[in-house]
Amino acid sequence: MHPDSNAVLFGANIINNNGLVVFPTETVYGLGANALSAYACRKIYLTKERPADNPLIVHVSSLAMLHRITVGIDPEIESKLGEVWPGPVTLLFQKSDNIPDIVTANSPRVAVRMPDNPLALQLIEKSGVPIAAPSANISTRASITDSKYAIDELKDRVDLIYDSGPTKFGLESTILDLSGEVPTLLRAGSKTVEELEPIFGKIFVSEVARGTYESPVAITPGMKYKHYSPVKTLILVDENVFDEISVNSDLKGEVLMIGSTEHCKNSILDTFDLGSMGDLRTVAAKLFIAFRELDKRNERIGVIHPFPEYGYGLAIMNRIRKASSYKIQNLKDFEEKLSEIGS
Ligand code: AMP
Ligand code: MG
């Protein structure tokens, strides 16, 4: 689909006047501002209520633009960029003085990617500046994967929202640090480790990237916060516990079961079906929709089960761990937790 050129120019004009534009990428919606303007980027933090130590990803539309905001790119890495860009892969580079410190939360390194979405690319191109854009949700909430949620959450806070419907992946970009001896995954995302290893070699997947370890010292600062969450309580339970809960009629109207088709199909409680266990890309694309639907419905608690941790499953489990308030392994503990939370 070709973006309307007037709509692109309208957005570019806002970016050039230090305003805020919510725009689609292939991953999630971004809350964008001129990445060269500290003033504009400060508005991103205020609007999102984002902690000042959680840096922003900068989006570029060309390698020339990448060179304006970075110094000393390793030629070997540069030669591989065409294999992942445009696409859902964010890489860290030494920043140039063109990037204000607020963008990187004072880090000497800037996170950059080239999005694979025609509207996003043309918006950057027409603006003539790189666009800093974190996910367009308010801090701690689920990322915004459809413009209808952006309108719900941000219509009074920004200058423009592109109403472009659902995004392609519905899951954030993969963040990779290529500066050390071994490529290190900082955030699992829409490009899987399995897809990246043939390009960059064996990738180290830390516990932080899995979401199984809460680092007291932030490696990638965003990782230490509660993240990606519904407002309501989400509980992660083992698969067998999920099956037991889903046939307990006492919980009808109280608990929403969020799970794979295989686990939802026998449930007598209401379910949000994420798709088949065998199709993790679909599960990943529906996860944030499920969290937002939980918040809209009457049930006060969501229950979800784990997914296998390969392919998209790595990102799925990272998000579920970050989003869930409790991890429970047997029915008795679940029932105790439920009465503890109260009604
Ligand atoms: P979001 O754009 O909301 O999906 O979040 C961006 C993620 O990128 C956060 O987890 C940040 O901590 C991470 N990030 C952005 N810039 C940097 C950087 N310079 N160094 C390390 N991580 C970064
Ligand atoms: Mg985010």
Side-chain angles (χ1 to χ4, degrees):
M1 202 196 72
H2 292 292
D4 179 287
S5 56
N6 285 326
V8 173
L9 284 177
F10 190 79
N13 194 36
I14 292 171
I15 294 288
N16 289 139
N17 284 292
N18 290 333
L20 295 179
V21 176
V22 174
F23 65 98
T25 76
E26 79 280 33
T27 59
V28 299
Y29 274 77
L31 175 57
N34 178 357
L36 307 182
S37 161
Y39 171 81
C41 290
R42 187 165 297 113
K43 284 191 190 172
I44 294 180
Y45 285 89
L46 291 174
T47 302
K48 256 187 80 91
E49 302 168 25
R50 187 176 178 99
D53 64 352
N54 191 5
L56 311 176
I57 294 175
V58 177
H59 296 72
V60 298
S61 58
S62 66
L63 291 184
M65 206 177 255
L66 171 71
H67 285 283
R68 276 169 66 194
I69 59 170
T70 57
V71 289
I73 298 182
D74 178 343
E76 200 185 318
I77 293 173
E78 180 153 359
S79 72
K80 293 175 177 170
L81 289 179
E83 293 180 61
V84 290
W85 285 359
V89 179
T90 299
L91 299 171
L92 299 184
F93 301 95
Q94 292 300 315
K95 81 173 195 69
S96 78
D97 292 340
N98 291 329
I99 290 292
D101 289 336
I102 188 171
V103 171
T104 64
N106 294 317
S107 165
R109 296 194 298 169
V110 59
V112 188
R113 84 177 188 97
M114 190 186 291
D116 187 16
N117 175 290
L119 175 51
L121 286 172
Q122 288 189 29
L123 179 68
I124 303 164
E125 188 66 33
K126 288 287 175 226
S127 304
V129 292
I131 295 183
S135 55
N137 54 288
I138 292 180
S139 211
T140 78
R141 305 274 317 268
S143 296
I144 286 177
T145 59
D146 189 312
S147 44
K148 68 180 181 193
Y149 300 126
I151 294 166
D152 281 353
E153 197 155 301
L154 295 167
K155 66 174 181 306
D156 300 324
R157 297 188 181 217
V158 299
D159 300 297
L160 174 67
I161 297 172
Y162 285 109
D163 191 6
S164 304
T167 62
K168 181 176 166 194
F169 287 102
L171 175 74
E172 302 84 352
S173 63
T174 302
I175 308 181
L176 208 52
D177 179 359
L178 298 174
S179 65
E181 289 279 293
V182 183
T184 300
L185 187 73
L186 295 183
R187 176 174 76 185
S190 288
K191 192 91 168 171
T192 64
V193 167
E194 291 83 348
E195 290 170 316
L196 288 168
E197 283 187 331
I199 304 167
F200 296 110
K202 183 81 189 147
I203 293 172
F204 173 64
V205 180
S206 68
E207 278 198 59
V208 175
R210 287 187 195 281
T212 49
Y213 176 70
E214 295 288 334
S215 171
V217 183
I219 297 176
T220 180
M223 303 294 165
K224 74 178 182 217
Y225 297 107
K226 185 170 158 82
H227 232 123
Y228 314 120
S229 316
V231 175
K232 289 191 185 152
T233 304
L234 181 72
I235 303 181
L236 172 61
V237 302
D238 284 1
E239 286 179 65
N240 61 316
V241 182
F242 187 97
D243 294 341
E244 288 172 290
I245 295 168
S246 69
V247 293
N248 180 349
S249 58
D250 291 347
L251 298 176
K252 206 160 175 52
E254 192 169 2
V255 172
L256 178 68
M257 306 304 290
I258 302 171
S260 64
T261 310
E262 292 81 352
H263 283 286
C264 284
K265 67 173 191 277
N266 295 322
S267 176
I268 60 169
L269 305 184
D270 283 0
T271 60
F272 188 103
D273 186 339
L274 293 168
S276 167
M277 279 286 210
D279 180 10
L280 293 177
R281 178 161 166 184
T282 296
V283 174
K286 286 186 167 178
L287 194 62
F288 292 133
I289 299 173
F291 294 171
R292 286 185 175 271
E293 291 305 315
L294 170 64
D295 285 339
K296 284 190 182 168
R297 294 175 54 107
N298 289 328
E299 289 89 352
R300 63 192 179 96
I301 285 166
V303 166
I304 194 163
H305 62 74
F307 286 82
E309 251 171 293
Y310 51 77
Y312 290 98
L314 196 61
I316 292 167
M317 283 310 295
N318 166 270
R319 305 305 187 271
I320 291 176
R321 289 195 183 101
K322 293 295 223 179
S324 51
S325 305
Y326 308 102
K327 286 94 188 153
I328 284 179
Q329 283 164 325
N330 65 64
L331 195 57
K332 189 168 156 286
D333 289 353
F334 177 77
E335 281 163 355
E336 277 175 14
K337 186 54 75 187
L338 216 55
S339 57
E340 187 187 306
I341 298 169
S343 52

